[in-house]
């Protein structure tokens, strides 16, 4: 099938473009929670992926994705269902999960134990609670390979690239908050955003061991430390 010129590809916002950059050229990919299907269409239409599975829990978004991806025919296949339950192990090599909360992303990974294999390249774009996702990944034995900061709607987002490393660990609190973004454009502003959230969390805590731990972490951040 002939690929249309790149000028006809859908426009990706900063978050989706960063996610696309983490997808390995030549890999079959899954776009979990594909919504409008723009990322699926871009991956297939640009030639980056020979096959893309556009997956969503709801029929409405999947219908939009079918329309968006129509020019690329059978290079995009569609799956209606929850998380990774719509795929078989080995059907794809790269998995994008974007636009969901951290806990939902972790639940999707927990429900598909076959992704605990370094062969799978995970691209994760949490809508909320970045620190929760980083902590959850490390506790499950995933290693955070890289991150890309993106700004949207006045907020900073982190696009994360992870693979299974096989060794669960308890991550450092500073790593959970700031991740691997030091030196990137906007890193200091992102750090300030994360510190503001931590201060808000601290105000709701009674004095005790947990509060003392948060206070110590805030001192590290105020001193300018990075993971």
């Amino acid at each position: 099938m002939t690929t249309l010129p790149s000028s006809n590809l859908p426009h990706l916002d900063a978050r989706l473009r960063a996610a696309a950059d983490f997808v390995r050229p030549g890999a079959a990919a899954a776009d979990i929670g594909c919504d409008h299907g723009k990322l699926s269409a871009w991956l297939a239409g640009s030639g980056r992926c020979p096959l893309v599975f556009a997956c969503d829990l709801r029929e409405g978004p999947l219908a939009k994705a079918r329309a968006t991806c129509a020019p690329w025919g059978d290079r995009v296949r569609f799956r209606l269902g929850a998380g990774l339950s719509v795929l078989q192990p080995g059907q794809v090599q790269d998995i994008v999960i974007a636009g969901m909360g951290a806990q939902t992303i972790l639940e999707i990974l927990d429900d598909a134990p076959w992704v605990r294999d370094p062969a799978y390249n995970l691209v994760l774009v949490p809508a909320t609670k970045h620190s929760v996702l980083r902590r959850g990944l490390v506790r499950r034995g995933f290693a955070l390979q890289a991150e890309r900061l993106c700004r949207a709607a006045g907020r900073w987002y982190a696009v994360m690239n992870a693979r299974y490393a096989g060794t669960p660990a308890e991550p450092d609190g500073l790593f959970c908050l700031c991740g691997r973004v030091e030196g990137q454009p906007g890193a200091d502003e992102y750090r300030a955003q994360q510190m503001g959230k931590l201060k808000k969390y601290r105000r709701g805590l009674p004095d005790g061991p947990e509060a003392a731990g948060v206070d110590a972490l805030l001192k590290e951040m105020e001193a300018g430390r990075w993971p």
Side-chain angles (χ1 to χ4, degrees):
M1 175 179 179
T2 301
T3 300
L4 293 184
S6 60
S7 59
N8 288 313
L9 292 173
H11 172 74
L12 302 183
D13 64 20
R15 284 176 287 177
L16 290 183
R17 186 52 203 255
D21 287 344
F22 279 132
V23 174
R24 297 172 296 183
D31 181 7
I32 304 299
C34 65
D35 195 23
H36 39 53
K38 289 183 179 180
L39 177 61
S40 297
W42 192 95
L43 292 173
S46 67
R48 193 173 190 89
C49 296
L51 176 64
V52 181
F53 287 87
C55 312
D56 207 281
L57 182 62
R58 297 170 297 156
E59 183 58 57
L62 204 61
K64 293 179 182 178
R66 291 180 193 276
T68 302
C69 299
W72 293 282
D74 59 6
R75 293 186 65 172
V76 184
R77 300 177 188 176
F78 304 91
R79 296 290 185 272
L80 177 66
L84 293 166
S85 68
V86 296
L87 298 172
Q88 296 297 319
Q91 225 170 3
V92 298
Q93 295 82 49
D94 286 31
I95 298 168
V96 182
I97 308 176
M100 305 178 197
Q103 194 57 49
T104 299
I105 292 174
L106 291 171
E107 289 170 1
I108 288 173
L109 298 178
D110 287 344
D111 289 341
W114 51 268
V115 300
R116 299 194 180 199
D117 182 327
Y120 295 106
N121 181 51
L122 305 181
V123 183
L124 310 173
V125 191
T128 59
K129 299 185 178 179
H130 307 174
S131 58
V132 170
L133 183 54
R134 294 187 185 106
R135 180 180 295 109
L137 288 171
V138 174
R139 284 177 172 174
R140 288 162 171 79
F142 291 92
L144 195 58
Q145 305 286 320
E147 292 190 60
R148 181 87 57 81
L149 279 179
C150 303
R151 190 170 178 82
R155 297 170 56 199
W156 286 102
Y157 292 85
V159 178
M160 305 179 190
N161 184 210
R163 292 191 199 180
Y164 189 63
T167 307
E170 187 59 36
D172 175 80
L174 197 57
F175 168 79
C176 293
L177 280 166
C178 299
R180 301 192 180 282
V181 303
E182 184 179 7
Q184 294 186 34
D188 290 337
E189 190 176 341
Y190 176 75
R191 179 194 180 91
Q193 171 185 286
Q194 294 297 88
M195 186 161 61
K197 292 179 179 179
L198 185 62
K199 287 180 177 179
K200 182 178 180 180
Y201 177 71
R202 171 62 181 92
R203 288 195 293 270
L205 288 177
D207 290 338
E210 184 180 2
V214 171
D215 289 340
L217 183 53
L218 283 169
K219 285 183 180 180
E220 287 188 87
M221 297 189 76
E222 288 165 353
R225 270 201 60 207
W226 284 92

